[in-house]
Amino acid sequence: MTLSLLLPMSAFALAASISPGPVNLVCLSSGTRYRPATGLIFVSGATVGFIALFISVGLGLHSLLTVIPGFNQTLELAGIGFLLYLSYRLFSDNGLIPDNPDHKAPGFMTGALMQWLNPKAWLASASGISAYTAGADIPQILAFAAIYAPICWLSLGSWVFAGAFLKRYVERPVILRTINRLLAILLAASCLWLLFDL
């Protein structure tokens, strides 16, 4: 793979991974509520889930979804439902930092599942594959995935650490509750935007 292809792939992966989206908002919230190491477990799951989705889309999963009638829309609705559930949980959080810092933290499997139900992840996979690879060229797709993986992990991890930084200023439950509700509203708003865009 040439440097002229490596740099645009890296820039695409960074832009798609670090820009705000449902997974990034959960990372930020995890950083304010739990220890960074706990948030990074979610980040690791989200990264593995995304890379599995990315490779699957590259190998033709996206075109298969368009062949099965209604399946694509069902998947999108399931994703929106899951994200709305997460926004409800975030909105109803009491703002108290738990005594057990790992209590009810979103884990590895939640992160992995969330990417498969995340419309932003599907869009990033499909557009990245179509823009930077030649069809179902497996070595090229795997090379792109190898570039994407550390960039995705570091980008999502930066949202966890941004949340951990904010935690110093949100020790009072009322402030943390307000931030969580704002994040929940943003997450729900992104779901509604996706719903009306279907």
Side-chain angles (χ1 to χ4, degrees):
M1 184 170 295
T2 64
L3 188 61
S4 61
L5 191 56
L6 181 68
L7 290 176
M9 282 180 168
S10 300
F12 176 87
L14 179 62
S17 300
I18 207 163
S19 59
V23 174
N24 308 75
L25 293 176
V26 173
C27 290
L28 183 66
S29 176
S30 291
T32 61
R33 301 263 312 140
Y34 310 107
R35 296 177 303 154
T38 302
L40 292 178
I41 293 170
F42 173 81
V43 166
S44 298
T47 301
V48 169
F50 177 78
I51 295 303
L53 174 65
F54 185 82
I55 292 170
S56 299
V57 167
L59 296 178
L61 177 63
H62 192 264
S63 58
L64 177 66
L65 293 179
T66 59
V67 174
I68 302 170
F71 188 74
N72 197 27
Q73 193 169 28
T74 301
L75 183 66
E76 288 175 346
L77 290 173
I80 289 169
F82 181 70
L83 296 175
L84 285 172
Y85 166 73
L86 287 177
S87 65
Y88 163 75
R89 288 215 23 215
L90 194 55
F91 191 87
S92 60
D93 184 75
N94 63 12
L96 296 171
I97 304 294
D99 293 332
N100 175 3
D102 297 328
H103 180 68
K104 293 187 180 177
F108 186 93
M109 289 307 296
T110 302
L113 176 64
M114 193 170 176
Q115 291 289 32
W116 280 80
L117 295 174
N118 180 6
K120 179 190 170 191
W122 282 87
L123 181 61
S125 297
S127 57
I129 292 291
S130 63
Y132 297 104
T133 65
D137 184 340
I138 295 174
Q140 203 172 35
I141 291 166
L142 294 177
F144 195 2
I147 293 165
Y148 220 129
I151 292 172
C152 180
W153 193 89
L154 290 169
S155 296
L156 295 177
S158 70
W159 283 81
V160 171
F161 284 102
F165 175 77
L166 288 174
K167 185 177 184 176
R168 302 178 208 179
Y169 305 102
V170 295
E171 291 293 331
R172 291 175 44 214
V174 68
I175 297 173
L176 185 55
R177 190 164 53 243
T178 302
I179 289 172
N180 283 340
R181 288 183 176 173
L182 178 62
L183 292 173
I185 290 167
L186 290 172
L187 185 55
S190 71
C191 291
L192 293 176
W193 179 78
L194 290 168
L195 188 62
F196 290 116
D197 198 41
L198 290 179

